Amino acid sequence: MTAPIKNSNPVIVDVALGDRAYDIVIGRDALGSLGERVKKLRPNARVAIVTDKTVAQHWLTKTEAALTQAGIESACIIVGEGEASKSYAVLQDVCEGLIAAKIERNDLVIALGGGVVGDLAGFAASIVRRGVDFVQVPTSLLAQVDSSVGGKTGINSPHGKNLIGAFHQPVLVIADTSVLDTLSPRQFRAGYAEVAKYGVLGDEAFFAWLEANHAEIFSGGAAREHAIATSCRAKAAIVARDERETGERALLNLGHTFGHALEAATGFSDRLFHGEGVSVGMVLAAEFSAHLKMIAPSEAERVQRHLAAVGLPTRLQDIAGFQQEGLGDADALMTLMAQDKKVKRGRLTFILLEKIGKAVIANDVDAPTVRNFIAEKLAHKPGR
Ligand code: GLY
């Protein structure tokens, strides 16, 4: 029998990047060990926490207490919530805040929050004084299994998402699974899409395990730690082999070519969370793989069935305001996909499936074939 994971016994996943290697510490109450771990990593460092208003209400006191217990005083910079904070203006506020807090080369920035805070604080850390180290303390499931690991940091440009940024690896990630208890069910589900993604793209046995154990992941049992640790191990292995996304790291974009177009069509609003876009996008990628006869339709149905079983949107028609401009129109969706970073000279790049557990990069996909496939999906009537 597997021993239950105790607070004193977190799972440690190593991100093997040579002299920039770091640990991901995963467990209930792992946040309590932050101060001791920071002290060991950087004795005498100054520390500044960057967080957002909601996360501050829930977790700032506990984070500060964990640092104080280890004799570490910290400054704090609180930004507004949501994607709007990944802007030049807020980046400037964070950089100025770090300089005012006298954060220097050997000091540390702590990103306490979801993907927005991690991307923003990590990017600020990468440029203040030409680069200071930072620690990720992800507080959403999506951030714990994806954005806090691998060093992608950045902000949005008026031209598109994440167009200004840097690869800047954290020196430590603390994924306290108990902080996920305060997420709304919808936010948790959206993060779960990224967990399922690791099974679909590279690990059929993990996907089958998720099919059998998803209820315990949502209720907060030991399965939650296992799912997060397995996801982090999968990502860490890919990042260690292809840090700068010159090849295999692109597999992590499964569901994202379709998903980003859907997020753009819904104005990056609450109508569709990123993870929800990935869920619909992943099903479309699986169905498109079946359309191209790379997998059997039953494999795509299996992906759809599992994501629908946890309550995620899986069809274009599931998206709020589906009939509004852009979403019901194959040409509008094609235009949005053509703006994606993953387009090269009019040919689209998709991550497609050879089977559940084996994704491949297809970087020469013919646009009319995609358009016909989308038009077919748009004609699909819910319930059919
Ligand atoms: N979220 C995809 C990556 O980190 O490469």
Side-chain angles (χ1 to χ4, degrees):
M1 200 180 98
T2 312
I5 295 164
K6 300 195 196 84
N7 300 351
S8 55
N9 192 19
V11 177
I12 312 272
V13 175
D14 171 42
V15 185
L17 285 168
D19 59 0
R20 289 171 300 112
Y22 54 94
D23 286 342
I24 309 167
V25 181
I26 302 158
R28 279 195 95 77
D29 295 326
L31 184 53
S33 69
L34 176 70
E36 288 307 325
R37 290 182 194 277
V38 162
K39 195 157 93 180
K40 212 163 143 199
L41 215 53
R42 291 284 184 287
N44 309 317
R46 274 178 197 277
V47 169
I49 301 166
V50 181
T51 190
D52 72 28
K53 286 183 186 140
T54 305
V55 175
Q57 274 165 17
H58 289 296
W59 301 113
L60 184 56
T61 306
K62 185 166 177 181
T63 305
E64 287 173 336
L67 293 168
T68 310
Q69 271 163 24
I72 302 167
E73 290 306 315
S74 52
C76 185
I77 298 158
I78 300 181
V79 301
E81 245 183 278
E83 197 67 28
S85 285
K86 282 176 61 173
S87 66
Y88 288 109
V90 181
L91 176 69
Q92 180 176 342
D93 292 345
V94 173
C95 291
E96 291 302 325
L98 295 176
I99 294 164
K102 300 192 165 39
I103 294 297
E104 294 181 1
R105 269 295 190 44
N106 294 322
D107 296 329
L108 276 179
V109 175
I110 295 181
L112 172 68
V116 166
V117 166
D119 286 5
L120 172 71
F123 186 40
S126 80
I127 54 177
V128 163
R129 297 187 191 277
R130 298 202 174 89
V132 296
D133 286 342
F134 84 116
V135 173
Q136 289 269 23
V137 183
T139 58
S140 68
L141 179 58
L142 190 133
Q144 292 193 354
V145 299
D146 182 26
S147 57
S148 69
V149 176
K152 281 188 181 175
T153 70
I155 59 167
N156 301 329
S157 141
H159 291 280
K161 248 181 104 128
N162 297 327
L163 293 181
I164 318 292
F167 283 99
H168 187 53
Q169 298 291 343
V171 292
L172 172 69
V173 180
I174 301 273
D176 183 332
T177 56
S178 68
V179 307
L180 306 179
D181 294 343
T182 59
L183 294 179
S184 71
R186 186 179 167 202
Q187 280 172 319
F188 192 90
R189 268 199 305 275
Y192 182 85
E194 298 277 5
V195 174
K197 186 187 78 175
Y198 293 107
V200 178
L201 78 84
D203 188 345
E204 200 271 339
F206 181 51
F207 187 75
W209 181 85
L210 292 173
E211 288 176 308
N213 292 282
H214 61 85
E216 203 196 323
I217 298 170
F218 280 79
S219 65
R224 182 181 286 182
E225 273 76 16
H226 178 70
I228 294 171
T230 305
S231 302
C232 287
R233 261 186 222 110
K235 179 150 188 186
I238 290 175
V239 167
R241 291 191 293 264
D242 180 23
E243 184 185 6
R244 298 276 171 148
E245 200 172 308
T246 54
E248 127 180 66
R249 185 166 178 168
L251 295 176
L252 297 172
N253 296 329
L254 173 65
H256 286 61
T257 308
F258 287 118
H260 278 168
L262 299 173
E263 280 185 87
T266 46
F268 297 101
S269 70
D270 282 359
R271 278 170 60 201
L272 189 71
F273 289 170
H274 173 70
E276 295 172 333
V278 170
S279 173
V280 178
M282 196 155 41
V283 172
L284 287 171
E287 290 176 339
F288 189 48
S289 306
H291 182 87
L292 297 176
K293 305 207 176 337
M294 294 172 63
I295 59 169
S298 58
E299 293 269 283
E301 281 158 24
R302 186 175 164 201
V303 174
Q304 188 275 333
R305 242 191 341 268
H306 177 55
L307 296 173
V310 304
L312 278 162
T314 58
R315 303 275 183 220
L316 292 164
Q317 290 81 352
D318 294 340
I319 299 169
F322 166 70
Q323 293 305 343
Q324 288 170 23
E325 194 187 345
L327 269 176
D329 178 343
D331 291 316
L333 287 174
M334 287 304 293
T335 304
L336 289 168
M337 265 188 270
Q339 284 160 3
D340 197 277
K341 289 200 289 289
K342 296 179 272 301
V343 176
K344 286 200 185 87
R345 291 185 203 89
R347 308 293 283 186
L348 293 154
T349 295
F350 283 91
I351 309 306
L352 299 177
L353 298 181
E354 285 186 347
K355 60 177 191 150
I356 292 178
K358 181 149 181 35
V360 290
I361 303 166
N363 49 23
D364 199 16
V365 179
D366 175 54
T369 309
V370 183
R371 195 213 165 273
N372 290 345
F373 166 75
I374 292 177
E376 216 174 84
K377 290 290 128 194
L378 289 168
H380 171 98
K381 298 277 175 293
R384 261 171 56 185

Coordinates of all heavy atoms in Angstrom, one line a residue, residues 279-349:
S279 N -8.8 22.8 -22.9 CA -9.7 21.6 -22.9 C -10.4 21.4 -24.3 O -10.3 20.4 -24.9 CB -10.7 21.7 -21.8 OG -11.6 20.6 -21.9
V280 N -11.0 22.5 -24.7 CA -11.7 22.4 -26.0 C -10.7 22.2 -27.1 O -10.9 21.4 -28.0 CB -12.5 23.7 -26.3 CG1 -13.2 23.7 -27.7 CG2 -13.6 24.0 -25.2
G281 N -9.5 22.9 -27.0 CA -8.5 22.8 -28.0 C -7.9 21.4 -28.1 O -7.6 20.9 -29.2
M282 N -7.7 20.8 -26.9 CA -7.2 19.4 -26.9 C -8.1 18.4 -27.6 O -7.7 17.5 -28.3 CB -6.9 19.0 -25.4 CG -6.0 17.9 -25.2 SD -5.2 17.9 -23.6 CE -6.4 18.4 -22.4
V283 N -9.4 18.6 -27.3 CA -10.4 17.7 -28.0 C -10.4 18.0 -29.5 O -10.4 17.0 -30.3 CB -11.8 17.9 -27.4 CG1 -12.9 17.2 -28.2 CG2 -11.9 17.5 -25.9
L284 N -10.3 19.2 -29.9 CA -10.2 19.5 -31.3 C -9.0 18.9 -31.9 O -9.0 18.4 -33.0 CB -10.3 21.1 -31.5 CG -11.6 21.7 -31.3 CD1 -11.5 23.3 -31.4 CD2 -12.7 21.3 -32.4
A285 N -7.9 19.0 -31.2 CA -6.6 18.5 -31.7 C -6.7 16.9 -31.9 O -6.3 16.4 -32.9 CB -5.4 18.8 -30.8
A286 N -7.4 16.3 -30.9 CA -7.6 14.8 -31.0 C -8.5 14.5 -32.2 O -8.3 13.6 -32.9 CB -8.1 14.3 -29.7
E287 N -9.6 15.3 -32.3 CA -10.6 15.0 -33.4 C -9.9 15.3 -34.7 O -10.2 14.7 -35.7 CB -11.8 15.9 -33.2 CG -12.6 15.3 -32.0 CD -13.9 16.2 -31.6 OE1 -13.9 17.3 -32.0 OE2 -14.8 15.6 -31.0
F288 N -9.1 16.4 -34.8 CA -8.4 16.7 -36.0 C -7.4 15.6 -36.4 O -7.3 15.2 -37.6 CB -7.7 18.1 -35.9 CG -7.1 18.6 -37.2 CD1 -7.9 18.6 -38.3 CD2 -5.8 19.1 -37.3 CE1 -7.4 19.1 -39.5 CE2 -5.3 19.6 -38.4 CZ -6.1 19.6 -39.6
S289 N -6.8 15.0 -35.4 CA -5.9 13.8 -35.6 C -6.7 12.7 -36.2 O -6.2 12.0 -37.1 CB -5.2 13.4 -34.3 OG -4.6 14.5 -33.7
A290 N -7.9 12.5 -35.7 CA -8.8 11.4 -36.2 C -9.2 11.8 -37.7 O -9.2 10.9 -38.5 CB -10.0 11.2 -35.3
H291 N -9.5 13.1 -37.9 CA -9.9 13.5 -39.2 C -8.8 13.2 -40.2 O -9.1 12.9 -41.4 CB -10.2 15.1 -39.1 CG -10.6 15.8 -40.3 ND1 -11.9 15.8 -40.7 CD2 -9.9 16.4 -41.3 CE1 -12.0 16.5 -41.8 NE2 -10.8 16.9 -42.2
L292 N -7.6 13.4 -39.8 CA -6.4 13.1 -40.7 C -6.0 11.6 -40.7 O -5.0 11.2 -41.2 CB -5.2 13.9 -40.2 CG -5.4 15.5 -40.3 CD1 -4.1 16.2 -39.7 CD2 -5.6 15.9 -41.7
K293 N -6.9 10.8 -40.0 CA -6.7 9.4 -39.9 C -5.4 9.0 -39.2 O -4.8 7.9 -39.4 CB -6.8 8.7 -41.3 CG -8.1 9.0 -42.0 CD -8.5 8.0 -43.0 CE -9.8 8.2 -43.6 NZ -10.8 9.0 -43.0
M294 N -4.9 9.8 -38.3 CA -3.7 9.5 -37.5 C -4.1 8.6 -36.3 O -3.3 7.9 -35.8 CB -3.0 10.8 -37.0 CG -2.5 11.6 -38.1 SD -1.9 13.2 -37.5 CE -0.6 12.8 -36.4
I295 N -5.3 8.8 -35.8 CA -5.8 8.0 -34.7 C -7.2 7.5 -35.0 O -7.9 8.1 -35.9 CB -5.8 8.7 -33.3 CG1 -6.7 10.0 -33.4 CG2 -4.4 9.1 -32.8 CD1 -7.0 10.6 -32.0
A296 N -7.7 6.5 -34.3 CA -9.1 6.1 -34.5 C -10.0 7.1 -33.8 O -9.7 7.7 -32.8 CB -9.3 4.7 -33.8
P297 N -11.2 7.3 -34.4 CA -12.2 8.3 -33.7 C -12.5 7.9 -32.3 O -12.7 8.8 -31.4 CB -13.5 8.1 -34.6 CG -13.0 7.6 -35.9 CD -11.8 6.8 -35.6
S298 N -12.4 6.6 -31.9 CA -12.6 6.2 -30.5 C -11.6 6.8 -29.5 O -11.9 7.1 -28.4 CB -12.7 4.7 -30.4 OG -11.4 4.2 -30.8
E299 N -10.4 7.0 -30.0 CA -9.3 7.6 -29.1 C -9.7 9.1 -28.8 O -9.6 9.6 -27.7 CB -8.0 7.6 -29.9 CG -7.4 6.3 -30.1 CD -6.5 5.9 -28.9 OE1 -5.3 6.4 -28.8 OE2 -6.9 5.0 -28.1
A300 N -10.2 9.8 -29.9 CA -10.6 11.2 -29.7 C -11.8 11.3 -28.7 O -11.9 12.1 -27.9 CB -10.9 11.9 -31.0
E301 N -12.7 10.3 -28.9 CA -13.9 10.3 -28.1 C -13.5 10.0 -26.6 O -14.1 10.6 -25.7 CB -14.9 9.2 -28.5 CG -15.7 9.6 -29.8 CD -16.2 8.3 -30.5 OE1 -16.3 7.2 -29.9 OE2 -16.5 8.5 -31.7
R302 N -12.5 9.2 -26.4 CA -12.0 8.9 -25.0 C -11.5 10.2 -24.4 O -11.7 10.5 -23.2 CB -10.9 7.8 -25.1 CG -10.5 7.4 -23.7 CD -9.5 6.2 -23.8 NE -8.9 6.0 -22.6 CZ -7.7 5.4 -22.4 NH1 -7.1 4.9 -23.4 NH2 -7.2 5.3 -21.2
V303 N -10.7 11.0 -25.1 CA -10.2 12.3 -24.6 C -11.4 13.2 -24.2 O -11.5 13.7 -23.1 CB -9.3 13.0 -25.6 CG1 -8.9 14.4 -25.1 CG2 -8.1 12.1 -25.9
Q304 N -12.4 13.3 -25.1 CA -13.5 14.2 -24.9 C -14.3 13.7 -23.7 O -14.7 14.5 -22.9 CB -14.4 14.2 -26.2 CG -15.5 15.2 -26.2 CD -16.8 14.7 -25.6 OE1 -17.0 13.4 -25.5 NE2 -17.6 15.6 -25.0
R305 N -14.5 12.4 -23.6 CA -15.4 11.8 -22.5 C -14.8 12.1 -21.2 O -15.5 12.5 -20.3 CB -15.4 10.3 -22.7 CG -16.8 9.8 -22.9 CD -17.0 8.3 -22.8 NE -15.8 7.5 -22.9 CZ -15.4 7.0 -24.1 NH1 -16.0 7.2 -25.2 NH2 -14.3 6.2 -24.1
H306 N -13.4 12.0 -21.1 CA -12.8 12.2 -19.8 C -12.9 13.7 -19.4 O -13.3 14.0 -18.2 CB -11.4 11.8 -19.7 CG -10.7 12.1 -18.4 ND1 -11.3 11.6 -17.2 CD2 -9.6 12.8 -18.1 CE1 -10.5 12.1 -16.2 NE2 -9.5 12.8 -16.7
L307 N -12.6 14.6 -20.3 CA -12.6 16.0 -19.9 C -14.1 16.5 -19.6 O -14.3 17.2 -18.7 CB -12.0 16.9 -21.1 CG -10.5 16.6 -21.3 CD1 -10.1 17.3 -22.6 CD2 -9.7 17.0 -20.1
A308 N -15.0 15.9 -20.4 CA -16.5 16.3 -20.1 C -16.9 15.7 -18.7 O -17.6 16.3 -18.0 CB -17.4 15.7 -21.2
A309 N -16.3 14.5 -18.4 CA -16.7 13.9 -17.1 C -16.3 14.7 -15.9 O -17.0 14.7 -14.9 CB -16.0 12.5 -17.0
V310 N -15.2 15.5 -16.0 CA -14.8 16.4 -14.9 C -15.5 17.7 -15.0 O -15.3 18.6 -14.1 CB -13.3 16.5 -14.8 CG1 -12.6 15.2 -14.7 CG2 -12.7 17.4 -15.9
G311 N -16.3 17.9 -16.0 CA -17.1 19.2 -16.1 C -16.5 20.3 -17.0 O -16.9 21.4 -16.9
L312 N -15.4 19.9 -17.7 CA -14.8 20.9 -18.6 C -15.5 21.1 -19.9 O -16.1 20.1 -20.4 CB -13.3 20.5 -18.9 CG -12.3 20.8 -17.8 CD1 -11.0 19.9 -18.0 CD2 -12.0 22.3 -17.8
P313 N -15.5 22.3 -20.5 CA -16.1 22.4 -21.8 C -15.2 21.6 -22.8 O -14.0 21.6 -22.7 CB -16.0 23.9 -22.1 CG -14.9 24.4 -21.2 CD -14.9 23.5 -20.0
T314 N -15.8 21.0 -23.7 CA -15.1 20.2 -24.7 C -15.5 20.5 -26.1 O -14.8 20.0 -27.1 CB -15.3 18.6 -24.5 OG1 -16.7 18.3 -24.5 CG2 -14.7 18.2 -23.1
R315 N -16.5 21.2 -26.3 CA -17.1 21.5 -27.6 C -17.1 23.0 -27.8 O -17.3 23.8 -26.9 CB -18.5 21.1 -27.8 CG -18.7 19.6 -27.5 CD -18.4 18.8 -28.8 NE -18.6 17.4 -28.6 CZ -17.8 16.5 -29.1 NH1 -16.8 16.8 -29.8 NH2 -18.1 15.2 -29.0
L316 N -16.9 23.5 -29.1 CA -17.0 24.9 -29.4 C -18.4 25.4 -28.8 O -18.5 26.5 -28.2 CB -17.0 25.2 -30.9 CG -15.6 24.9 -31.5 CD1 -15.7 24.7 -33.0 CD2 -14.6 26.0 -31.1
Q317 N -19.4 24.6 -29.0 CA -20.8 25.0 -28.5 C -20.9 25.1 -27.0 O -21.9 25.7 -26.5 CB -21.8 24.0 -29.1 CG -22.0 24.0 -30.6 CD -20.9 23.2 -31.4 OE1 -19.9 22.8 -30.8 NE2 -21.1 23.1 -32.7
D318 N -19.9 24.6 -26.2 CA -20.0 24.7 -24.8 C -19.5 26.1 -24.3 O -19.7 26.4 -23.1 CB -19.0 23.7 -24.1 CG -19.5 22.3 -24.3 OD1 -20.7 22.1 -24.7 OD2 -18.6 21.4 -24.2
I319 N -18.9 26.9 -25.2 CA -18.3 28.2 -24.7 C -19.4 29.2 -24.6 O -20.3 29.4 -25.5 CB -17.2 28.6 -25.7 CG1 -16.1 27.6 -25.8 CG2 -16.7 30.0 -25.4 CD1 -15.1 27.8 -26.9
A320 N -19.4 29.9 -23.5 CA -20.4 31.0 -23.2 C -20.5 32.0 -24.4 O -19.4 32.4 -24.9 CB -20.1 31.7 -21.9
G321 N -21.7 32.3 -24.8 CA -21.8 33.2 -25.9 C -21.3 32.7 -27.2 O -20.8 33.5 -28.1
F322 N -21.5 31.4 -27.4 CA -20.9 30.8 -28.6 C -21.4 31.5 -29.9 O -20.6 31.6 -30.9 CB -21.4 29.3 -28.6 CG -21.2 28.6 -30.0 CD1 -19.9 28.3 -30.4 CD2 -22.3 28.3 -30.7 CE1 -19.7 27.7 -31.7 CE2 -22.1 27.6 -32.0 CZ -20.8 27.4 -32.4
Q323 N -22.6 31.9 -29.9 CA -23.1 32.6 -31.1 C -22.6 33.9 -31.4 O -22.8 34.5 -32.5 CB -24.7 32.6 -31.1 CG -25.4 31.3 -31.1 CD -25.0 30.4 -32.3 OE1 -24.5 30.9 -33.3 NE2 -25.3 29.1 -32.2
Q324 N -21.9 34.5 -30.4 CA -21.4 35.9 -30.6 C -20.3 35.9 -31.7 O -19.7 34.9 -32.0 CB -20.8 36.5 -29.3 CG -22.0 36.8 -28.4 CD -21.4 37.1 -27.0 OE1 -20.3 37.5 -26.8 NE2 -22.3 37.0 -26.0
E325 N -20.0 37.1 -32.2 CA -19.1 37.2 -33.3 C -17.8 36.5 -33.1 O -17.2 36.5 -32.0 CB -18.8 38.7 -33.4 CG -18.1 39.1 -34.7 CD -17.7 40.5 -34.8 OE1 -18.2 41.3 -33.9 OE2 -16.9 40.8 -35.6
G326 N -17.3 35.8 -34.1 CA -16.0 35.2 -34.0 C -16.1 33.7 -33.8 O -15.5 32.9 -34.5
L327 N -16.8 33.3 -32.8 CA -16.8 31.9 -32.4 C -17.5 31.0 -33.3 O -17.2 29.8 -33.4 CB -17.4 31.8 -30.9 CG -16.3 31.9 -29.8 CD1 -17.0 31.8 -28.5 CD2 -15.3 30.8 -29.9
G328 N -18.6 31.4 -33.9 CA -19.4 30.6 -34.8 C -18.9 30.6 -36.2 O -19.7 30.1 -37.1
D329 N -17.8 31.2 -36.5 CA -17.4 31.5 -37.8 C -16.0 30.9 -38.1 O -15.0 31.4 -37.5 CB -17.4 33.1 -38.0 CG -16.9 33.6 -39.3 OD1 -16.3 32.8 -40.1 OD2 -17.2 34.8 -39.6
A330 N -16.0 29.9 -39.0 CA -14.7 29.2 -39.3 C -13.6 30.2 -39.8 O -12.5 30.1 -39.4 CB -14.9 28.1 -40.3
D331 N -14.0 31.2 -40.6 CA -13.0 32.0 -41.2 C -12.4 33.0 -40.1 O -11.2 33.2 -40.1 CB -13.6 32.9 -42.4 CG -13.9 32.0 -43.5 OD1 -13.0 31.2 -43.9 OD2 -15.0 32.1 -44.1
A332 N -13.3 33.4 -39.2 CA -12.8 34.3 -38.1 C -11.8 33.5 -37.2 O -10.8 34.0 -36.8 CB -14.0 34.8 -37.3
L333 N -12.2 32.2 -37.0 CA -11.2 31.4 -36.1 C -9.9 31.2 -36.9 O -8.9 31.2 -36.3 CB -11.9 30.1 -35.7 CG -13.0 30.3 -34.7 CD1 -13.7 28.9 -34.4 CD2 -12.5 30.8 -33.3
M334 N -10.0 31.0 -38.2 CA -8.8 30.8 -39.0 C -7.9 32.0 -38.9 O -6.7 31.9 -38.8 CB -9.1 30.5 -40.4 CG -9.7 29.1 -40.7 SD -8.6 27.8 -40.1 CE -7.2 27.9 -41.2
T335 N -8.5 33.2 -39.0 CA -7.8 34.5 -38.9 C -7.1 34.6 -37.6 O -5.9 34.9 -37.5 CB -8.7 35.7 -39.1 OG1 -9.4 35.5 -40.4 CG2 -8.0 37.0 -39.1
L336 N -7.8 34.2 -36.5 CA -7.1 34.3 -35.2 C -6.0 33.2 -35.1 O -5.0 33.5 -34.5 CB -8.2 34.0 -34.1 CG -9.2 35.1 -33.9 CD1 -10.4 34.7 -33.0 CD2 -8.5 36.4 -33.3
M337 N -6.2 32.1 -35.7 CA -5.1 31.1 -35.6 C -3.9 31.5 -36.4 O -2.8 31.3 -36.0 CB -5.6 29.7 -36.1 CG -6.1 28.9 -35.0 SD -6.5 27.2 -35.5 CE -8.1 27.4 -35.9
A338 N -4.2 32.2 -37.5 CA -3.1 32.7 -38.3 C -2.2 33.8 -37.6 O -1.0 34.0 -37.9 CB -3.6 33.3 -39.6
Q339 N -2.8 34.4 -36.5 CA -2.0 35.4 -35.8 C -1.1 34.7 -34.7 O -0.3 35.4 -34.0 CB -2.9 36.4 -35.1 CG -3.5 37.4 -36.1 CD -4.8 38.1 -35.6 OE1 -5.2 37.8 -34.5 NE2 -5.3 38.9 -36.4
D340 N -1.3 33.4 -34.5 CA -0.6 32.7 -33.5 C 0.9 32.7 -33.7 O 1.3 32.7 -34.9 CB -1.1 31.3 -33.4 CG -0.8 30.6 -32.1 OD1 0.3 30.1 -32.0 OD2 -1.7 30.6 -31.2
K341 N 1.7 32.7 -32.6 CA 3.1 32.7 -32.7 C 3.6 31.4 -33.5 O 4.7 31.3 -34.0 CB 3.8 32.6 -31.3 CG 3.7 33.8 -30.5 CD 4.7 33.8 -29.4 CE 4.4 32.9 -28.2 NZ 3.3 33.2 -27.4
K342 N 2.7 30.4 -33.5 CA 3.1 29.1 -34.1 C 2.9 29.0 -35.6 O 2.9 27.9 -36.1 CB 2.3 28.0 -33.3 CG 2.7 27.9 -31.9 CD 1.9 26.9 -31.1 CE 0.6 27.3 -30.5 NZ 0.7 28.4 -29.6
V343 N 2.6 30.2 -36.2 CA 2.4 30.1 -37.7 C 3.7 30.5 -38.4 O 4.3 31.5 -38.0 CB 1.3 31.1 -38.1 CG1 1.1 31.2 -39.6 CG2 0.0 30.7 -37.4
K344 N 4.1 29.7 -39.4 CA 5.2 30.1 -40.2 C 4.9 30.1 -41.6 O 4.4 29.1 -42.2 CB 6.4 29.1 -39.9 CG 7.0 29.2 -38.6 CD 8.4 28.6 -38.5 CE 9.0 28.7 -37.1 NZ 8.6 27.5 -36.3
R345 N 5.0 31.3 -42.3 CA 4.7 31.5 -43.7 C 3.4 30.8 -44.1 O 3.3 30.0 -45.1 CB 5.8 30.9 -44.5 CG 7.1 31.8 -44.4 CD 8.2 31.4 -45.3 NE 9.4 31.8 -44.8 CZ 10.2 31.1 -44.0 NH1 9.8 29.9 -43.6 NH2 11.3 31.6 -43.5
G346 N 2.3 31.1 -43.3 CA 1.0 30.6 -43.7 C 0.7 29.1 -43.4 O -0.4 28.7 -43.6
R347 N 1.7 28.4 -43.0 CA 1.5 27.0 -42.6 C 1.3 26.9 -41.1 O 2.0 27.6 -40.4 CB 2.6 26.1 -43.0 CG 3.0 26.2 -44.5 CD 2.0 25.7 -45.4 NE 2.0 24.2 -45.5 CZ 1.2 23.6 -46.4 NH1 0.4 24.2 -47.2 NH2 1.2 22.3 -46.4
L348 N 0.3 26.1 -40.7 CA 0.0 26.1 -39.3 C 0.7 25.0 -38.6 O 0.9 23.9 -39.1 CB -1.5 25.9 -39.1 CG -2.3 27.1 -39.5 CD1 -3.7 26.7 -39.9 CD2 -2.4 28.1 -38.4
T349 N 1.1 25.2 -37.3 CA 1.7 24.2 -36.5 C 0.7 23.7 -35.5 O 0.1 24.5 -34.8 CB 3.0 24.7 -35.8 OG1 4.0 25.0 -36.8 CG2 3.6 23.6 -34.9

